[in-house]
Amino acid sequence: MKQMIRATFFVAAMLVAPSLWLESVPVAQAQNLQEYQFEDPAQEALFRELIDELRCPKCQNQSIADSNAELAVDLRDRTYLMVRDGATKQQVIDFMVARYGDFVHYQPPMNIATSILWWGPVAVLVIGALVIVFRVKQQRQTEVSLSDEEQAQLATLRAEKKDTDA
């Protein structure tokens, strides 16, 4: 009986512990973002826009605002310093792209290196549609030849259908 109670308590603890941890993450992140003080509300708005638009190079698909990786913290700090010193949005983005590549920006520019990202899905859809069209046409053009026995059965069935329709 004691073992069953212990097992139940253990399972409950294993289910509750992750949810308690997850609830504390946004609070910690909000506290981290409170550390950045701005004299101008426009600079703060630009900073928040940039940290939402820049991707953490270490994390696969998190902005530097959402990530708690050391690299993301460094990028937030660098963004803060640049915005505070009067850099424009494009200057900050250019700096980050020069240092970390196009991956750091959620909206990569259209160039030869990223063209496959922009046109790849369209090309796959077009090629798929063309394959389907050609296969359907090919199937329609294939002539079905019936043996003499099958033609006789077809003639019999057609005659029976005429008799029932009349």
Side-chain angles (χ1 to χ4, degrees), residues 86-99:
T88 64
K89 179 179 178 180
Q90 194 58 46
Q91 288 172 331
V92 174
I93 290 172
D94 289 344
F95 173 82
M96 297 296 181
V97 167
R99 182 166 273 183

Side-chain angles (χ1 to χ4, degrees), residues 9 14 23-24 29-30 42 50 60-62 66 80 84 86 88 94-95 99 103 105 113 129 136 154 158 162:
F9 179 73
M14 294 303 288
E23 287 177 9
S24 67
Q29 181 181 347
L50 280 166
Q60 287 299 314
N61 203 18
Q62 283 186 319
D66 297 335
Y80 168 71
R84 191 188 67 192
T88 64
D94 289 344
F95 173 82
R99 182 166 273 183
F103 177 80
H105 196 231
V136 168
L154 181 61
R158 284 184 177 164
K162 281 185 182 179

Side-chain angles (χ1 to χ4, degrees), residues 3 7 55 57 79 91 95 111 123 127 134 139 144 151 157:
Q3 288 179 341
R55 184 187 330 224
T79 303
Q91 288 172 331
F95 173 82
N111 59 33
I127 291 169
F134 286 126
Q139 286 178 353
V144 177
Q151 287 181 357
L157 288 173

